Amino acid sequence: MHGVLPSRKTSHPPPYTVRGSRLSTHRRRQLQLGALIGCAALFLLLMIPRLFGSSSERIPLGTPEIVVVTLIDEENMSKGYIEKIQENRRYYASRQGYTTFFPNVSDYNIGDFPRSWALVPALRHALTVHPHSTYFFALSPHALIMNPAINLKSHALEKKKLESMLLKERPVVPPDSVIKTFGNLKGDRIDLVLTQDGEGLCQGSLILKRGEWAKFFLDTWFDPLYRSYNFQKAEGHALEHIVQWHPTILTKLALIPHRLLNSYSVDISSRGGKDVMYKDGDFVARFVGCELDQNRDCEKEFEPYYDIWKRSIAGS
């Protein structure tokens, strides 16, 4: 009986069958690796601007660095008064390369609370309208920029200059508040610049730096709980409250000498008397409290300073 012999190998096998399969698998792995590398590169390109947004943010060409914000109350101010206030701000902004923003009190729903509360949502509005500007200078309508040659950045915002002017270890609410300003703040960590008179913090002239902290600060300040407290000085006392009891706000606050940002046109002893009154060459003249005193008239106090300002710019 003959044994079963194995089949004889053909001398003409199919060419490259096994080898070709190996090459296809290798090629697929190369393509997969290339796709992974491409996805990783795209991910990094998208994420790097987010991780380092402060240094890589693209600010549109021509964006003004500073916005001058003045809240107008059309119901309680004459048309001529408003026009003069706007003229003053626009002249200054044009000379310095800034821009202006004139919200109206009636733009905001503040209910039955004092109309001065509208300052806070007005600043929040300004941040939205000018999302790429760096600083927002909020100045009361009852004030005039008397020295338009002063550049706000070099006057009060540059790091070294700001650090040199800081009022350190100063009671937030004079004369004897136990909460005091910090003594080791760095100029580039400051987001809110204010002055202080003999009665307290002065929100009628302030500088706010754009950023997430600014939004947090304004949202905290405008919290319905604080509005419901019916503070005697409304948003002014609410500001003092949150600065004293919110360390995250106090750590970003700089107090600077009063006349750098907020000189007064009248001698009020409780606010600082002659030490805080306007002198020739000062940046601002503010008619503090004129809208709250029935014996005073903001527009009448405004006129002589407006005339001085007009003469000064006519000769410049």
Side-chain angles (χ1 to χ4, degrees), residues 11 18 22 45 48 55 73 76 87 102 108 135 164 179 188 192 200 202 217 223 244 247 264 273 301-302 305:
S11 59
V18 176
R22 289 177 179 171
L45 286 173
I48 285 175
S55 60
D73 189 349
N76 293 295
E87 177 193 12
F102 298 108
Y108 312 103
Y135 298 102
S164 71
I179 308 298
D188 53 1
L192 177 62
C202 303
F217 162 67
D223 190 300
Q244 290 184 93
Y264 291 162
E301 292 184 24
F302 177 94
Y305 285 89

Short mmCIF file of all heavy atoms in Angstrom, two decimals, residues 11 18 22 45 48 55 73 76 87 102 108 135 164 179 188 192 200 202 217 223 244 247 264 273 301-302 305:
data_model
loop_
_atom_site.label_atom_id
_atom_site.label_comp_id
_atom_site.label_asym_id
_atom_site.label_seq_id
_atom_site.Cartn_x
_atom_site.Cartn_y
_atom_site.Cartn_z
N SER A 11 6.17 25.44 -8.08
CA SER A 11 7.37 26.24 -8.35
C SER A 11 7.03 27.66 -8.77
O SER A 11 7.90 28.46 -9.05
CB SER A 11 8.21 25.58 -9.46
OG SER A 11 7.44 25.45 -10.63
N VAL A 18 2.23 37.37 0.94
CA VAL A 18 2.44 37.63 2.36
C VAL A 18 3.14 38.96 2.57
O VAL A 18 2.76 39.77 3.41
CB VAL A 18 3.23 36.48 3.00
CG1 VAL A 18 3.54 36.80 4.44
CG2 VAL A 18 2.44 35.19 2.87
N ARG A 22 2.01 42.55 4.73
CA ARG A 22 2.79 43.21 5.77
C ARG A 22 3.01 44.69 5.45
O ARG A 22 2.93 45.55 6.31
CB ARG A 22 4.13 42.50 5.94
CG ARG A 22 3.99 41.13 6.60
CD ARG A 22 5.31 40.44 6.69
NE ARG A 22 5.18 39.15 7.35
CZ ARG A 22 6.16 38.26 7.40
NH1 ARG A 22 7.33 38.53 6.84
NH2 ARG A 22 5.96 37.09 8.00
N LEU A 45 -2.25 74.26 18.88
CA LEU A 45 -2.46 75.56 18.26
C LEU A 45 -3.72 76.24 18.80
O LEU A 45 -3.77 77.47 18.95
CB LEU A 45 -2.57 75.41 16.74
CG LEU A 45 -1.25 75.13 15.99
CD1 LEU A 45 -1.53 74.83 14.53
CD2 LEU A 45 -0.30 76.32 16.12
N ILE A 48 -3.01 76.89 23.11
CA ILE A 48 -1.97 77.81 23.58
C ILE A 48 -2.51 79.23 23.76
O ILE A 48 -2.25 79.88 24.79
CB ILE A 48 -0.73 77.78 22.65
CG1 ILE A 48 0.06 76.49 22.90
CG2 ILE A 48 0.15 79.00 22.88
CD1 ILE A 48 1.23 76.30 21.97
N SER A 55 -1.02 87.18 27.17
CA SER A 55 0.15 87.61 26.40
C SER A 55 -0.04 87.47 24.91
O SER A 55 0.70 88.04 24.15
CB SER A 55 1.38 86.80 26.84
OG SER A 55 1.15 85.42 26.61
N ASP A 73 -27.60 111.76 33.33
CA ASP A 73 -28.98 111.62 33.80
C ASP A 73 -29.85 112.65 33.06
O ASP A 73 -29.99 113.79 33.49
CB ASP A 73 -29.05 111.85 35.31
CG ASP A 73 -30.42 111.51 35.90
OD1 ASP A 73 -31.36 111.30 35.11
OD2 ASP A 73 -30.53 111.46 37.13
N ASN A 76 -32.61 114.69 34.86
CA ASN A 76 -32.29 115.68 35.90
C ASN A 76 -31.19 116.65 35.50
O ASN A 76 -30.73 117.44 36.34
CB ASN A 76 -31.89 114.95 37.19
CG ASN A 76 -33.04 114.19 37.80
OD1 ASN A 76 -34.03 114.78 38.24
ND2 ASN A 76 -32.95 112.86 37.82
N GLU A 87 -18.63 117.57 25.75
CA GLU A 87 -17.57 118.31 25.03
C GLU A 87 -16.25 118.19 25.77
O GLU A 87 -15.19 117.95 25.17
CB GLU A 87 -17.98 119.77 24.90
CG GLU A 87 -16.91 120.65 24.25
CD GLU A 87 -17.19 122.14 24.41
OE1 GLU A 87 -18.08 122.51 25.22
OE2 GLU A 87 -16.50 122.94 23.74
N PHE A 102 -20.95 107.40 27.09
CA PHE A 102 -21.90 108.20 27.84
C PHE A 102 -23.22 107.44 28.03
O PHE A 102 -24.20 107.71 27.33
CB PHE A 102 -22.17 109.52 27.12
CG PHE A 102 -20.97 110.41 26.96
CD1 PHE A 102 -20.38 110.59 25.72
CD2 PHE A 102 -20.42 111.06 28.06
CE1 PHE A 102 -19.28 111.41 25.56
CE2 PHE A 102 -19.31 111.88 27.92
CZ PHE A 102 -18.73 112.06 26.67
N TYR A 108 -30.73 101.60 32.55
CA TYR A 108 -30.58 100.48 33.48
C TYR A 108 -31.76 100.43 34.45
O TYR A 108 -32.25 101.46 34.94
CB TYR A 108 -29.27 100.64 34.26
CG TYR A 108 -28.11 100.92 33.34
CD1 TYR A 108 -27.59 102.21 33.24
CD2 TYR A 108 -27.59 99.93 32.51
CE1 TYR A 108 -26.57 102.50 32.35
CE2 TYR A 108 -26.58 100.22 31.62
CZ TYR A 108 -26.07 101.49 31.53
OH TYR A 108 -25.07 101.78 30.65
N TYR A 135 -8.29 100.06 30.27
CA TYR A 135 -8.69 100.80 31.46
C TYR A 135 -9.99 101.58 31.21
O TYR A 135 -10.24 102.07 30.10
CB TYR A 135 -7.60 101.79 31.88
CG TYR A 135 -6.30 101.14 32.26
CD1 TYR A 135 -5.22 101.13 31.38
CD2 TYR A 135 -6.14 100.55 33.51
CE1 TYR A 135 -4.02 100.53 31.73
CE2 TYR A 135 -4.94 99.96 33.88
CZ TYR A 135 -3.88 99.95 32.97
OH TYR A 135 -2.69 99.35 33.32
N SER A 164 4.80 104.04 43.65
CA SER A 164 5.37 105.15 44.42
C SER A 164 4.31 106.03 45.07
O SER A 164 4.59 106.77 46.02
CB SER A 164 6.26 106.01 43.52
OG SER A 164 5.48 106.75 42.58
N ILE A 179 -9.78 97.79 59.08
CA ILE A 179 -9.37 97.24 57.78
C ILE A 179 -8.56 98.30 57.06
O ILE A 179 -9.04 99.41 56.82
CB ILE A 179 -10.59 96.82 56.93
CG1 ILE A 179 -11.52 95.91 57.73
CG2 ILE A 179 -10.13 96.14 55.65
CD1 ILE A 179 -10.89 94.61 58.17
N ASP A 188 1.53 96.03 38.94
CA ASP A 188 0.92 95.25 37.87
C ASP A 188 -0.14 94.29 38.39
O ASP A 188 -0.75 93.55 37.62
CB ASP A 188 1.99 94.48 37.09
CG ASP A 188 2.87 93.63 37.99
OD1 ASP A 188 2.66 93.62 39.21
OD2 ASP A 188 3.78 92.96 37.45
N LEU A 192 -7.96 98.28 40.52
CA LEU A 192 -8.89 99.34 40.88
C LEU A 192 -8.13 100.47 41.56
O LEU A 192 -7.46 100.25 42.57
CB LEU A 192 -9.98 98.80 41.81
CG LEU A 192 -11.01 99.80 42.35
CD1 LEU A 192 -11.82 100.43 41.22
CD2 LEU A 192 -11.94 99.13 43.37
N GLY A 200 -14.54 108.99 53.40
CA GLY A 200 -14.47 107.62 52.92
C GLY A 200 -13.98 107.51 51.49
O GLY A 200 -13.36 108.44 50.94
N CYS A 202 -14.02 107.35 47.41
CA CYS A 202 -14.64 108.27 46.46
C CYS A 202 -14.86 107.58 45.11
O CYS A 202 -13.94 107.49 44.29
CB CYS A 202 -13.75 109.49 46.27
SG CYS A 202 -13.40 110.36 47.82
N PHE A 217 -15.89 92.07 40.50
CA PHE A 217 -16.02 93.23 41.38
C PHE A 217 -17.34 93.96 41.15
O PHE A 217 -18.07 94.26 42.11
CB PHE A 217 -14.83 94.17 41.15
CG PHE A 217 -15.03 95.56 41.66
CD1 PHE A 217 -15.13 95.80 43.02
CD2 PHE A 217 -15.13 96.62 40.78
CE1 PHE A 217 -15.32 97.10 43.50
CE2 PHE A 217 -15.33 97.92 41.25
CZ PHE A 217 -15.43 98.16 42.61
N ASP A 223 -24.72 93.57 43.80
CA ASP A 223 -25.52 92.47 44.35
C ASP A 223 -26.82 93.02 44.96
O ASP A 223 -26.80 94.00 45.71
CB ASP A 223 -24.71 91.75 45.43
CG ASP A 223 -25.37 90.45 45.88
OD1 ASP A 223 -26.51 90.50 46.36
OD2 ASP A 223 -24.72 89.40 45.75
N GLN A 244 -14.01 96.32 52.56
CA GLN A 244 -13.58 95.92 53.89
C GLN A 244 -13.77 94.43 54.17
O GLN A 244 -12.97 93.82 54.88
CB GLN A 244 -14.35 96.72 54.95
CG GLN A 244 -13.97 98.19 55.01
CD GLN A 244 -14.68 98.90 56.14
OE1 GLN A 244 -14.17 99.03 57.25
NE2 GLN A 244 -15.90 99.36 55.87
N PRO A 247 -11.65 90.21 50.99
CA PRO A 247 -10.20 90.33 50.77
C PRO A 247 -9.82 90.28 49.29
O PRO A 247 -8.83 90.89 48.88
CB PRO A 247 -9.62 89.14 51.53
CG PRO A 247 -10.65 88.81 52.56
CD PRO A 247 -11.97 89.13 51.95
N TYR A 264 -11.49 118.83 44.66
CA TYR A 264 -12.82 119.38 44.89
C TYR A 264 -12.86 120.88 44.63
O TYR A 264 -11.88 121.60 44.86
CB TYR A 264 -13.27 119.11 46.33
CG TYR A 264 -13.54 117.65 46.64
CD1 TYR A 264 -13.58 117.20 47.96
CD2 TYR A 264 -13.76 116.72 45.62
CE1 TYR A 264 -13.84 115.88 48.26
CE2 TYR A 264 -14.02 115.39 45.92
CZ TYR A 264 -14.05 114.97 47.23
OH TYR A 264 -14.30 113.65 47.52
N GLY A 273 -11.31 119.58 53.59
CA GLY A 273 -11.09 121.01 53.54
C GLY A 273 -10.21 121.47 52.39
O GLY A 273 -10.27 120.94 51.27
N GLU A 301 -22.25 126.01 39.66
CA GLU A 301 -20.87 125.77 40.12
C GLU A 301 -19.98 125.34 38.95
O GLU A 301 -18.77 125.61 38.96
CB GLU A 301 -20.87 124.69 41.21
CG GLU A 301 -21.53 125.13 42.50
CD GLU A 301 -21.43 124.08 43.61
OE1 GLU A 301 -20.49 123.24 43.54
OE2 GLU A 301 -22.26 124.09 44.53
N PHE A 302 -20.57 124.71 38.00
CA PHE A 302 -19.85 124.19 36.84
C PHE A 302 -19.36 125.32 35.92
O PHE A 302 -18.24 125.25 35.39
CB PHE A 302 -20.82 123.26 36.07
CG PHE A 302 -20.31 122.68 34.80
CD1 PHE A 302 -19.71 121.41 34.77
CD2 PHE A 302 -20.48 123.34 33.59
CE1 PHE A 302 -19.27 120.85 33.58
CE2 PHE A 302 -20.05 122.79 32.39
CZ PHE A 302 -19.44 121.53 32.39
N TYR A 305 -15.76 127.13 36.10
CA TYR A 305 -14.69 126.20 35.77
C TYR A 305 -14.71 125.84 34.28
O TYR A 305 -13.65 125.69 33.65
CB TYR A 305 -14.81 124.93 36.62
CG TYR A 305 -14.37 125.13 38.04
CD1 TYR A 305 -15.28 125.57 39.01
CD2 TYR A 305 -13.05 124.93 38.44
CE1 TYR A 305 -14.89 125.77 40.33
CE2 TYR A 305 -12.64 125.13 39.75
CZ TYR A 305 -13.57 125.55 40.68
OH TYR A 305 -13.17 125.76 41.98
#
